[in-house]
Amino acid sequence: MRDVKDTRSTRARINLGLTYAVMIFFTVMAIYPLIWLAMNSFKTTTEFQLNKLGIPRDWVLVNYQDAWVRGKFPSLILNSIIYTGITTVATLIFSFMAGFAFAKIPNKATKYIHGSFIIGLLLTLQSIMVPLFLIINWVGLYNSRLGVLIPYIGIAMPMGIYLGTEYIKAIPTALIESARIDGATYMKIFIAIIVPMAAPVGVTVAILTVTGTWNEFMLINILTSSDALKSLPVGVQKFAGALSSDFGKQFAALVIGLIPMLLFYMFFRKEITKGVAAGAVKG
Amino acid sequence: MPKTHTLADAKREQRRAYWTLVLPGFLIYISVMAFPTIFSIFLSLSDYSGGKLFGGKPVHLVGFKWYQNLFSDEYFYLALKNNMWIVFVSVFGQIPLGFFLAYVLYRGIVKFADFFQTMIYLPTVISTVVIGILWKSFFAPYGAFPELVRLFNPQYEYGISNHPMLPVLFVILWMYTGMYLIIFIANLQKIDSAVIEAARIDGATEGQTLRYIILPALSGVLVTTAILAISGSLKSFDLIYVMTAGGPANRTSVLSIYMFDKAFKGAPRYPLANAISTVMVIISFILIGLTKWVEKKFGGRE
């Protein structure tokens, strides 16, 4: 009896050890490239060529100083903040407004309009990229902030509408009706009741919009051409992508490019994972 | 004094409020998503060749000419094949791997679950552009990858790969597995843990619990993730654009890169580019339909 138990616990222990090994393997796989990148950003290009895998012999900051200035990072980061901030706020406001109307104000049009937003969840950027480029050109918004912001807001709307409407539906209608009886207008109800009560789903929508907009590359790359309007991903691609032999500077630029999202992730880890799970509703 | 309001007044206020609330978002959405989608189909059937959109050279409908053009181009099939590889790696690589990792963490088999989850998800939040350049430098002839291989095999010589898609597929697997991990964990946590404990007390092994309780409860989520993986794979653009731009010699091209090249490289061929994007949408609907059909046929019984 004792023998059986012993072999069983030995086997269990081996299994547990193996499981740990596998988990550690995947964790190392996930972060090693990033650590490799960070380490090499502190080497001079000459040192990198001699020592590609090890830790730097002298930790130098010159790559960062160079990349920061020559890559025009202050303006790139500022632009990204502007695009992401305005898109997120506008998406929140518009999708809460429409979500409130869809959920709580009876109207025959809801079925069609709400339905068209839901179809939008399935639309891909590719299918609108070329026509959008032509339309933006035609209305004269090519190479302007507005010409980037309007598409960004429109693209973020379906997810905001979907999550917002579902959430607002769950707010008790009795609350709204009693406010109506007291003479409140729908606008007053929206501001005084809906916005505060829907704040939790607002966080989710904001997280999804921020990550999506901050990292967006394809559209802004074709809708703008001037340096002053570039966002961080486009700037990193144009600057670091072109440095095919000046590795130190390239790596420093990449590290600068990933720091904002890394910070965002560190501060909002719980909310981000919750948002991703909530956003996985396509189909 | 609400009493003095007539019913008609209230109805009017209600209607006005409805449209005031709906219209701003709806107009933006229509103009940047709904209209361009329809416009794209129209363009793919036209002979528009650049220049002024309205009031320039008259635009005619030319039928399915561009689609025929597309289906007789060998590069279309090359790009399609690469897309299918990405679909394959996503559905049969990311999803099982993400599920496995989520399962280990959810069942509390290892400690520090929070740490593992945070680290494995990390690559997903970083901008694709940064990831693409990082890996491009890593896999470059003068990068770290040849060095790393030489640690194990000193004879290794860097040559032009016969499988240029392999690094791309690897990076896709590396980058997005964490997303499926998160989705599976969130849904595993919705399963009533009392059911699992009861099964374990009744003598079910870990494997049986997985087979008869957990997997059936997740069948809907598996389909959703498969759909996400398929539509995400067909959309992949940024990473490949940055890593290889479709090269060498278009061998890592995918449909979206192929479309981008037709529209924005050299003389613009907008109708052809729109034919490609329409075909992409149709393919993704077919694959999603297929996934739903598989679900109906083989699983998803409550």
Side-chain angles (χ1 to χ4, degrees):
Chain A
M1 203 51 202
R2 164 167 283 212
D3 271 8
V4 174
K5 208 179 155 202
D6 265 5
T7 51
R8 209 182 262 165
S9 73
T10 318
R11 213 168 58 206
R13 221 173 293 144
I14 291 173
N15 277 341
L16 185 63
L18 276 177
T19 316
Y20 268 105
V22 170
M23 292 312 289
I24 291 167
F25 171 76
F26 280 111
T27 306
V28 171
M29 280 293 288
I31 55 176
Y32 171 71
L34 301 173
I35 293 171
W36 177 79
L37 171 72
M39 241 164 43
N40 286 303
S41 67
F42 292 104
K43 291 176 191 168
T44 60
T45 301
T46 335
E47 194 195 335
F48 173 75
Q49 266 145 5
L50 299 169
N51 170 21
K52 285 172 186 161
L53 297 174
I55 57 167
R57 240 165 303 151
D58 315 300
W59 297 70
V60 295
L61 283 172
V62 63
N63 295 325
Y64 282 93
Q65 289 157 352
D66 268 13
W68 183 257
V69 175
R70 295 212 359 231
K72 302 191 183 72
F73 277 96
S75 114
L76 295 176
I77 291 172
L78 186 69
N79 279 338
S80 272
I81 291 173
I82 292 172
Y83 291 130
T84 308
I86 295 179
T87 303
T88 305
V89 171
T91 303
L92 277 175
I93 294 174
F94 293 150
S95 56
F96 269 24
M97 280 165 56
F100 170 45
F102 293 148
K104 296 296 180 194
I105 307 178
N107 194 305
K108 280 191 209 112
T110 294
K111 202 166 70 183
Y112 305 103
I113 301 182
H114 183 257
S116 80
F117 277 112
I118 299 306
I119 294 172
L121 283 174
L122 285 169
L123 290 181
T124 62
L125 266 187
Q126 270 82 17
S127 57
I128 58 167
M129 185 165 117
V130 175
L132 201 54
F133 169 75
L134 298 173
I135 293 166
I136 292 285
N137 262 299
W138 175 58
V139 295
L141 286 176
Y142 177 74
N143 208 18
S144 71
R145 269 187 220 288
L146 205 57
V148 175
L149 284 168
I150 294 174
Y152 275 5
I153 297 166
I155 289 160
M157 287 297 296
M159 187 55 84
I161 293 275
Y162 171 77
L163 294 174
T165 308
E166 292 301 303
Y167 198 90
I168 294 168
K169 262 186 199 160
I171 294 174
T173 308
L175 270 178
I176 294 156
E177 272 166 6
S178 67
R180 287 291 289 165
I181 290 165
D182 291 344
T185 61
Y186 278 104
M187 292 304 153
K188 213 177 274 166
I189 293 171
F190 176 68
I191 290 162
I193 300 176
I194 301 297
V195 171
M197 288 193 74
V201 78
V203 174
T204 306
V205 173
I207 293 277
L208 289 172
T209 313
V210 168
T211 44
T213 310
W214 186 276
N215 289 336
E216 204 286 322
F217 168 74
M218 187 168 73
L219 266 186
I220 191 164
N221 190 30
I222 60 166
L223 292 180
T224 60
S225 59
S226 88
D227 269 359
L229 295 175
K230 274 181 197 147
S231 68
L232 192 58
V234 183
V236 168
Q237 199 266 335
K238 293 263 156 38
F239 178 69
L243 293 169
S244 55
S245 58
D246 199 346
F247 295 103
K249 216 170 291 160
Q250 185 192 54
F251 294 145
L254 292 180
V255 172
I256 299 172
L258 68 77
I259 279 177
M261 264 330 224
L262 194 67
L263 290 176
F264 188 68
Y265 182 52
M266 276 167 55
F267 285 116
F268 297 105
R269 197 167 51 89
K270 287 262 146 58
E271 289 80 3
I272 290 174
T273 46
K274 216 182 90 201
V276 169
V281 291
K282 296 201 174 184
Chain B
M1 289 280 277
K3 280 278 154 59
T4 57
H5 279 247
T6 63
L7 195 64
D9 275 346
K11 275 264 175 246
R12 201 174 313 131
E13 198 250 326
Q14 192 182 58
R15 209 175 316 126
R16 203 184 311 124
Y18 182 88
W19 290 108
T20 319
L21 289 165
V22 168
L23 275 181
F26 189 54
L27 287 179
I28 295 180
Y29 169 74
I30 284 284
S31 51
V32 307
M33 285 201 88
F35 174 67
T37 305
I38 296 161
F39 189 46
S40 165
I41 299 171
F42 165 79
L43 277 175
S44 75
L45 301 170
S46 79
D47 64 353
Y48 174 69
S49 58
K52 259 170 124 181
L53 210 46
F54 299 97
K57 226 173 67 188
V59 175
H60 308 280
L61 286 176
V62 294
F64 291 93
K65 182 180 149 196
W66 300 108
Y67 291 87
Q68 284 166 0
N69 223 311
L70 183 63
F71 292 133
S72 58
D73 183 358
E74 58 174 316
Y75 289 115
F76 167 72
Y77 294 99
L78 190 61
L80 183 63
K81 197 177 82 190
N82 285 333
N83 261 127
M84 289 305 142
W85 274 114
I86 298 176
V87 170
F88 181 82
V89 164
S90 305
V91 174
F92 297 102
Q94 287 168 1
I95 291 180
L97 199 56
F99 177 78
F100 167 78
L101 296 170
Y103 183 75
V104 169
L105 297 179
Y106 162 71
R107 294 287 293 135
I109 297 170
V110 294
K111 284 179 194 152
F112 316 114
D114 218 33
F115 166 79
F116 285 125
Q117 182 187 326
T118 305
M119 289 305 160
I120 295 173
Y121 185 69
L122 180 59
T124 314
V125 294
I126 296 166
S127 143
T128 327
V129 170
V130 171
I131 299 289
I133 302 173
L134 159 62
W135 282 103
K136 185 181 165 190
S137 289
F138 189 86
F139 280 122
Y142 37 73
F145 179 71
E147 263 322 266
L148 208 58
V149 176
R150 263 179 232 126
L151 289 181
F152 302 100
N153 171 15
Q155 258 88 60
Y156 179 79
E157 276 291 326
Y158 192 90
I160 291 189
S161 168
N162 288 322
H163 305 283
M165 271 306 277
L166 277 183
V168 174
L169 294 173
F170 170 78
V171 176
I172 287 172
L173 188 65
W174 176 79
M175 189 167 177
Y176 293 110
T177 298
M179 190 179 86
Y180 296 96
L181 162 72
I182 297 292
I183 295 172
F184 281 124
I185 283 212
N187 285 286
L188 280 165
Q189 281 161 350
K190 284 184 199 152
I191 300 176
D192 186 359
S193 58
V195 179
I196 296 172
E197 268 157 44
R200 297 285 281 161
I201 290 165
D202 288 348
T205 63
E206 191 72 46
Q208 285 169 329
T209 321
L210 178 65
R211 169 77 185 79
Y212 294 105
I213 297 175
I214 294 176
L215 281 181
L218 283 185
S219 69
V221 182
L222 284 168
V223 173
T224 310
T225 50
I227 290 171
L228 267 179
I230 291 168
S231 58
S233 307
L234 287 166
K235 281 189 275 191
S236 47
F237 175 86
D238 301 8
L239 187 76
I240 298 175
Y241 180 79
V242 173
M243 261 183 91
T244 67
N250 286 320
R251 285 176 56 207
T252 58
S253 179
V254 289
L255 292 174
S256 57
I257 299 266
Y258 179 63
M259 175 190 77
F260 181 88
D261 287 351
K262 295 290 179 228
F264 300 109
K265 258 190 182 169
R269 301 176 70 186
Y270 299 123
L272 185 57
N274 283 293
I276 300 166
S277 69
T278 309
V279 168
M280 284 169 69
V281 172
I282 292 169
I283 293 172
S284 98
F285 280 161
I286 291 174
L287 287 177
I288 290 168
L290 214 63
T291 317
K292 295 218 152 180
W293 178 79
V294 169
E295 180 205 18
K296 247 196 200 134
K297 191 111 201 246
F298 298 106
R301 275 174 288 262
E302 302 299 307

